[in-house]
Amino acid sequence: MRKKIIAGNWKMNKTPSETVKLIEELKPLVKNDEVDVVFCVPAISLTTAIEAAKGSNIEIGAENMFYEESGAYTGEIAPNMLTDIGVKYVILGHSERREYFAETDETVNKKVLKAFEHGITPIICCGESLTQREQGVTMDWIRMQIKIAFLNVTAEQAAKAVIAYEPIWAIGTGKVATTEQAEEVCAGIRACIGELYDEATAAAIRIQYGGSVSASSAPELFAQANIDGGLVGGASLKPDFGKIVNYNK
C-alpha cells in the first residue's frame, strides 16, 4: 500500500520570519501519521524552515535545484547545498519553471539524475495546457515528459520518485480537473512507468495530483486508486492545508 504524500509548494511567498510563523501555525494542524507531509519553501527560507519543523512530522523540500555540483552558475543552488542543511525533497520541472525560466524536459532529466545521485527525492512535475487537452493530446504530451524525465533513471530509483500531475490550466485558476480526468491521467502515468520499467516499479511510485486542490476536493481525489496525494499551491499557505492533510479523518 502506497503511503500518501501531500506537499505544499509555497512558490515565491513568505519571508524567513513569516515562514517560522506559518510553520508554527500549521504544525498542530498537519499531524497525520498516515501521510508524508512536505513543505517546499523558497531557497532563502530552507534553513529557517528545517529548524522550525524540528520535532514535527513535516519534511522540508526545495522548489528547484541545479544539475551541477558547483561552478559559475550565478543564482543557482547545488544539490549538496540542499543535503548539507537537511533538505529531503525537491520539486523539478514545475510548469512555472518551464514557462518563465525556459526549463526543458532535458534539463529536468539532468536534475532528476542529480537529485537521485545525492539521495534527494524528486517531485517530478508534468501536465498539459488547455489547448493540448482540447486537442486530445494530453496523454501523448505527458508520456513524452515522463519518458524524457526518467531517461537513465534505474528502476530502483524510479520506485522512490514522486510524480506530480498538474494540468497547467488548473494551477492557481480555481479550476480543478474532474476526479475522473485526474484519475485517468494518473493511471496513464502509472502505465507509462510500467512500460518503462515493470509492474513492481509502477506499483511503488507515488503519483500526486496538483492544481487548485482544496479541503473540499481532496477526499474524493485522494480516494482514487492511482492518486497518492497532492502537490498543493495556494492552499498550503493557509490553515486549510491541515484539512487537506487530514482528508481521511
Side-chain angles (χ1 to χ4, degrees):
M1 188 73 178
R2 294 181 299 273
K3 189 176 183 180
K4 291 285 192 284
I5 176 168
I6 300 176
N9 177 12
W10 288 22
K11 306 191 179 184
M12 196 177 70
N13 291 294
K14 303 299 177 184
T15 64
S17 59
E18 290 171 338
T19 293
V20 174
K21 184 178 178 182
L22 182 57
I23 289 178
E24 291 300 335
E25 182 182 7
L26 290 175
K27 266 185 190 178
L29 304 179
V30 299
K31 288 182 178 178
N32 187 343
D33 293 338
E34 298 172 33
V35 173
D36 285 337
V37 179
V38 185
F39 290 172
C40 296
V41 307
I44 196 169
S45 298
L46 284 169
T47 302
T48 305
I50 288 167
E51 190 63 33
K54 278 185 178 175
S56 74
N57 63 315
I58 300 166
E59 295 284 4
I60 301 300
E63 297 179 14
N64 186 35
M65 181 200 82
F66 199 54
Y67 51 76
E68 295 289 356
E69 302 283 339
S70 62
Y73 304 105
T74 301
E76 291 296 331
I77 298 170
N80 62 312
M81 295 176 183
L82 298 179
T83 55
D84 190 67
I85 59 172
V87 170
K88 301 292 180 65
Y89 293 86
V90 62
I91 297 172
L92 299 177
H94 192 278
S95 61
E96 290 158 0
R97 296 292 314 173
R98 296 174 191 258
E99 180 181 358
Y100 302 128
F101 304 103
E103 288 212 359
T104 66
D105 293 326
E106 288 74 19
T107 57
V108 171
N109 173 242
K110 289 180 179 181
K111 292 181 179 186
V112 169
L113 293 170
K114 188 58 69 172
F116 278 126
E117 191 178 317
H118 285 265
I120 304 171
T121 300
I123 299 174
I124 305 162
C125 298
C126 62
E128 83 283 13
S129 67
L130 184 58
T131 300
Q132 288 161 342
R133 174 160 284 277
E134 289 175 343
Q135 290 176 339
V137 298
T138 293
M139 281 316 305
D140 296 317
W141 180 261
I142 287 172
R143 283 171 61 86
M144 179 184 72
Q145 289 182 315
I146 294 299
K147 287 183 176 183
I148 296 174
F150 281 83
L151 184 66
N152 296 322
V153 173
T154 68
E156 183 182 4
Q157 291 171 331
K160 297 174 183 175
V162 178
I163 296 174
Y165 164 56
E166 292 195 304
I168 297 168
W169 47 271
I171 298 174
T173 62
K175 295 180 181 179
V176 184
T178 66
T179 303
E180 292 74 23
Q181 287 173 324
E183 168 63 12
E184 180 183 21
V185 175
C186 289
I189 291 170
R190 198 174 304 283
C192 183
I193 293 295
E195 293 169 19
L196 290 174
Y197 299 100
D198 49 49
E199 287 187 16
T201 305
I205 198 166
R206 294 189 287 182
I207 303 172
Q208 300 173 311
Y209 170 76
S212 300
V213 175
S214 66
S216 59
S217 65
E220 186 177 347
L221 283 166
F222 299 166
Q224 303 308 302
N226 290 288
I227 299 178
D228 305 312
L231 181 59
V232 183
S236 68
L237 299 168
K238 304 171 185 175
D240 260 14
F241 189 57
K243 295 178 183 176
I244 295 174
V245 169
N246 288 287
Y247 74 96
N248 56 347
K249 302 296 185 184

